[in-house]
Amino acid sequence: MQQEADAGEPGFAVAHLTAAARAELGTGRRLVATERLRGGSKKGVYRLAFDDGATVIGYAWHPSQDYWRHAAPQPPGDPADPFAPATGSGLFASCHALLSQLGVRTPQVYLLDRSRSASPADIALVEDVRGGTLESQLDRAAAVPHPALAELRGALRRMHQHRRARIGKAGLPGLAVGRSSEQAVTDRAYTDLAEAAGRVPRIAAAREPLAAALRELAAAVPRRAEHALIHGELGPDHVLLDDRAQPVLIDIEGLMFFDVEWEHVFLELRFGAGYRWLAAGGLDPARLRLYRLALSLSLVAGPLRLLDGDFPDRAGMLSIVEYNTGRVLAALDC
């Protein structure tokens, strides 16, 4: 789950975080260990440990910490678009405040410094939630659910009951997108299909039937009048457990107002058989069919773009590509 931290990168050094941590937690503490945690592909995520046993997590938003920086640049678009890059301390602060308002647990924030007076990065110090990820403790085949799943289901219900008429990033509350959710998904799916076909021969051979399937699935989805607050990428690796085994959501910058079906196709994929403990009624089957194919296409094209750079877990990303290539091609057999 972890890798050693870089000693320092151009324009940003871990020392900027450690200095902030000593000032915030007390100068009498001595730093004894620093490590960069896996995940956090758009920001640096570090665990800082002190000689008295105290630990804190440091976030750093800086180009040198973004593993997507070497990926092929995407055309500029509407920043409020739910699928536009979701990174930055501003989004983090807004989304953290919104989840707190809804009673959804996230790591406590000790410091958020956006002044760049002592660091070239925006930095934050947050609670180190030490119970591990839900993924590490989840037995998807268990007849009895992990206790955290009931709490997570309740948190998702509170989020999904929070509605807005138009889609958009939740961290940009004054902005929204005029397109419908299904249009946004379909437009992105065509882009992902083109990119995946350019990189994966098996998808290239099926490009025209896949494009036809997208058109057919999208045509069956009616427009919707309101949209729910969703996490957007809520796998069990994005849920930590605190010392009471309560779920704590992380990687929250991408919160969006969107179709709840998009949340559920991601949950379904990432929780596998354990999804039955999070399932909800009243979902639109037509949306689910479209969104399953679109999500699989994004999980082929996206990881391959990420691997254009220096993301460390290449084997993990390639396994995601391989699995979702199979899901994309299987959609033609439905």
Side-chain angles (χ1 to χ4, degrees), residues 87-109:
T87 186
S89 60
L91 284 175
F92 171 77
S94 295
C95 292
H96 191 281
L98 179 54
L99 290 178
S100 297
Q101 172 190 330
L102 295 175
V104 176
R105 175 98 155 85
T106 59
Q108 181 181 352
V109 177

Side-chain angles (χ1 to χ4, degrees), residues 92-181:
F92 171 77
S94 295
C95 292
H96 191 281
L98 179 54
L99 290 178
S100 297
Q101 172 190 330
L102 295 175
V104 176
R105 175 98 155 85
T106 59
Q108 181 181 352
V109 177
Y110 304 133
L111 171 73
L112 178 60
D113 185 356
R114 305 175 64 193
S115 69
R116 303 206 174 185
S117 59
S119 168
D122 290 0
I123 60 174
L125 299 174
V126 306
E127 172 190 6
D128 187 5
V129 180
R130 298 306 299 267
T133 65
L134 180 55
E135 183 172 48
S136 69
Q137 300 190 28
L138 187 62
D139 182 353
R140 292 171 173 81
V144 177
H146 189 286
L149 287 172
E151 294 294 332
L152 179 59
R153 184 174 182 174
L156 287 170
R157 186 180 299 112
R158 291 193 295 279
M159 291 170 60
H160 296 166
Q161 289 173 346
H162 192 60
R163 302 297 180 98
R164 191 168 78 177
R166 299 175 71 186
I167 66 173
K169 278 196 171 57
L172 300 173
L175 298 178
V177 177
R179 288 182 302 163
S180 68
S181 50

Side-chain angles (χ1 to χ4, degrees), residues 38 68 196 199-203 296-309 311-327:
R38 283 181 60 179
W68 291 92
R199 295 171 178 262
V200 181
R202 286 183 292 160
I203 292 182
S296 294
L297 285 166
S298 75
L299 291 174
V300 175
L304 290 174
R305 283 197 299 271
L306 183 59
L307 291 179
D308 288 340
F311 187 76
D313 186 9
R314 302 187 71 80
M317 286 295 109
L318 288 173
S319 70
I320 292 172
V321 170
E322 180 63 24
Y323 179 74
N324 283 283
T325 295
R327 280 171 52 95

Side-chain angles (χ1 to χ4, degrees), residues 225-289:
E226 62 176 9
H227 304 86
L229 176 68
I230 69 172
H231 183 285
E233 293 186 348
L234 192 59
D237 56 330
H238 287 166
V239 182
L240 303 179
L241 300 177
D242 66 14
D243 56 5
R244 298 181 297 117
Q246 298 297 296
V248 182
L249 272 56
I250 59 171
D251 284 350
I252 60 174
E253 291 94 318
L255 289 182
M256 60 176 83
F257 286 95
F258 209 69
D259 280 342
V260 72
E261 286 84 359
W262 185 256
E263 186 96 282
H264 278 275
V265 296
F266 201 93
L267 291 168
E268 179 184 69
L269 172 65
R270 291 290 289 111
F271 281 83
Y275 169 69
R276 67 189 186 277
W277 307 114
L278 300 172
L283 301 178
D284 179 3
R287 278 183 167 78
L288 292 172
R289 287 190 290 270

